[in-house]
Amino acid sequence: MEPWYKQLGFKENPLDARPNSTLVGLEEQEEQLKTFIVKEQLCFLHGLTGAGKTSLLKKVQESLPGHTFIYLDADAIPTDFDLTGAIKGKRSFLDRIRMRELPEKKPVLIIDEFQATDPRLVLEARSRWENPTERHVKSIVIAQISEQLKNVPGSFKDRLGNRMIHINSLDNESMNKVLQKRLCNNKTKRDYYEQLSPKTVEFLIAVSDGNARRLLEFTEMLFEYHYQRFKDSNPLKHKPDYKIQFPAAKEILTINNIAVEGYSEEIEEKLQKKNPKEVKKTEKNAAEKIEDMKIEENTIEEKETIIEKAEERISQNFDKEFTIAEQNILRALLRRDRMSLKQIATNIHLEINKCNGVLANLKKKGAIVHAGKMQGDKTWQITQSAKRAMVTK
């Protein structure tokens, strides 16, 4: 059975949420980063999960011909990693013919997820960049979520100076452009962005909260649902004038365990003011098409009160509020945006049953929420309040 995007004529998944060099809204940061690299400087890139750090690093590597790069994900660096060996591995064919031990063109070293870097590697990298007698690295780019550098000495921070690039969450206009860019099929001349109603687009952007990765994942849920439900008669393929309406989008995300109440209420109010009769008709049609509706027991107001209290508690008392195991899970989720129970347990080296119990406690504390399913497994993500508390901690 082919995937949904093949049915719609795409060669690859246009909503793939993995790092991608197709960027929107980061032009200024891209130019800053390239300038620092060309000037052979040390620089620091930071921003929340899903803001586009890794995608920006990928884009810069592709847009600087004549440069070679050593890219390291600090979460995955083996304990026996050899920086000298990695530098030697960047020798060109001509370097090898000339029997050069090290490359003539010094590589740029990029360390992503820098907070997990071994301090010894930091010292060695700095020496390879700064020491006149062994200067074999052209530039060093470090990237992480928090703006606080905790695994480097004061002298490293002094050397860094103000060469810091912050990536903000995308604004609504940029989020809109992401969808427009991704959903246009140039091969078939079909623009599937046009098959999302304006209110559906507004809703997807609101519930994604400035996170482009989440926007792509949530939008894919809509396309995947239509493919699975309608199969060969998928209206997205056969009816160019068909649009996914807001009520249907809301229910599809709800089915995938995405918390949408606080965001959908505002959209519904706008719709009611615009045309109450048309809204009722649309909602009725959407209800007939959507199966397995889930009815929430608590009212929106009650949930908002619960969330507000949890946010206040989390922000004020982070260290006291969470156990060591809970903090480890939150740190894992902060780096990866969303993870399944098995992924979390493996990441923090905790038994599945114990990890499940810790997740239940974090959910009660309002620090994590369901984030839909990934390959059939329920996933979790950290709440914005817990994320802010950790980043500013």
Side-chain angles (χ1 to χ4, degrees), residues 84-186:
T84 300
I87 295 173
K88 289 180 178 179
K90 293 299 176 179
R91 288 177 297 169
S92 67
F93 179 69
L94 194 58
D95 287 331
R96 296 175 192 275
I97 290 178
R98 292 175 176 174
M99 305 293 288
R100 292 182 62 92
E101 183 180 2
L102 295 168
E104 183 177 7
K105 288 185 177 181
K106 296 178 290 185
V108 177
L109 178 61
I110 296 176
I111 308 179
D112 205 355
E113 304 295 348
F114 184 72
Q115 71 282 345
T117 308
D118 186 327
R120 290 173 296 181
L121 176 57
V122 176
L123 291 174
E124 183 182 3
R126 180 182 173 184
S127 177
R128 293 285 187 177
W129 168 71
E130 191 175 45
N131 194 328
T133 61
E134 53 180 28
R135 191 173 290 169
H136 307 308
V137 171
K138 178 173 184 174
S139 173
I140 300 177
V141 180
I142 58 177
Q144 66 178 36
I145 295 169
S146 174
E147 60 182 319
Q148 303 296 326
L149 289 171
K150 297 184 178 181
N151 56 341
V152 296
S155 59
F156 185 95
K157 296 178 183 178
D158 291 339
R159 196 72 181 84
L160 174 66
N162 63 353
R163 291 184 293 276
M164 295 180 283
I165 303 172
H166 176 65
I167 299 183
N168 292 308
S169 298
L170 294 182
D171 58 29
N172 290 355
E173 182 181 356
S174 296
M175 295 279 273
N176 212 322
K177 287 181 180 178
V178 169
L179 288 182
Q180 290 175 346
K181 202 167 188 177
R182 293 295 191 100
L183 290 174
C184 182
N185 190 330
N186 295 320

Side-chain angles (χ1 to χ4, degrees), residues 11 300 383:
K11 184 178 180 180
I300 292 173
T383 61

Side-chain angles (χ1 to χ4, degrees), residues 322-323 325-326 328-330 332-333 339-345 348 350-370 378-382:
F322 301 108
T323 65
E326 289 170 347
N328 288 337
I329 288 179
L330 290 176
L333 288 173
M339 300 172 73
S340 65
L341 168 62
K342 185 177 180 181
Q343 288 174 324
I344 296 171
I348 68 171
L350 192 65
E351 293 178 7
I352 289 285
N353 291 337
K354 291 183 179 179
C355 186
N356 196 33
V358 179
L359 286 172
N361 290 334
L362 285 171
K363 183 182 177 184
K364 290 179 182 178
K365 294 177 180 180
I368 61 172
V369 293
H370 289 156
K378 182 187 294 185
T379 61
W380 300 88
Q381 68 185 32
I382 188 171

Side-chain angles (χ1 to χ4, degrees), residues 158-321:
D158 291 339
R159 196 72 181 84
L160 174 66
N162 63 353
R163 291 184 293 276
M164 295 180 283
I165 303 172
H166 176 65
I167 299 183
N168 292 308
S169 298
L170 294 182
D171 58 29
N172 290 355
E173 182 181 356
S174 296
M175 295 279 273
N176 212 322
K177 287 181 180 178
V178 169
L179 288 182
Q180 290 175 346
K181 202 167 188 177
R182 293 295 191 100
L183 290 174
C184 182
N185 190 330
N186 295 320
K187 180 181 177 182
T188 63
K189 307 302 180 183
R190 281 282 297 276
D191 187 355
Y192 291 96
Y193 173 84
E194 295 299 328
Q195 295 192 247
L196 301 174
S197 75
K199 289 301 177 186
T200 295
V201 173
E202 184 180 345
F203 166 64
L204 288 169
I205 290 174
V207 79
S208 300
D209 197 22
N211 188 313
R213 185 185 305 170
R214 206 170 294 154
L215 175 69
L216 297 173
E217 291 174 349
F218 293 166
T219 305
E220 184 172 13
M221 290 177 187
L222 306 188
F223 283 84
E224 179 69 29
Y225 177 87
H226 278 73
Y227 177 62
Q228 294 295 338
R229 178 176 173 79
F230 300 104
K231 297 183 171 57
D232 291 338
S233 60
N234 188 350
L236 289 170
K237 177 182 179 181
H238 301 292
K239 299 180 179 180
D241 59 342
Y242 175 85
K243 292 185 183 292
I244 302 177
Q245 300 294 336
F246 159 67
K250 173 187 173 184
E251 293 308 326
I252 292 170
L253 262 60
T254 301
I255 288 170
N256 282 276
N257 297 316
I258 305 300
V260 301
E261 293 83 358
Y263 301 97
S264 62
E265 184 181 34
E266 182 180 350
I267 306 295
E268 287 170 341
E269 287 179 356
K270 290 181 180 179
L271 281 169
Q272 289 289 353
K273 290 178 181 179
K274 185 175 181 181
N275 194 337
K277 290 183 179 180
E278 186 62 30
V279 171
K280 289 182 180 179
K281 180 181 177 181
T282 303
E283 289 178 341
K284 182 180 179 182
N285 292 338
E288 291 173 352
K289 293 180 181 178
I290 303 296
E291 297 178 334
D292 302 323
M293 278 183 61
K294 295 185 178 181
I295 301 175
E296 298 291 338
E297 295 180 357
N298 293 333
T299 66
I300 292 173
E301 290 77 9
E302 289 172 339
K303 288 188 174 183
E304 287 178 344
T305 301
I306 293 171
I307 292 171
E308 286 174 2
K309 290 181 178 178
E311 289 182 347
E312 182 179 357
R313 186 175 66 248
I314 291 169
S315 299
Q316 293 177 351
N317 225 0
F318 183 80
D319 288 323
K320 294 180 181 178
E321 181 71 22

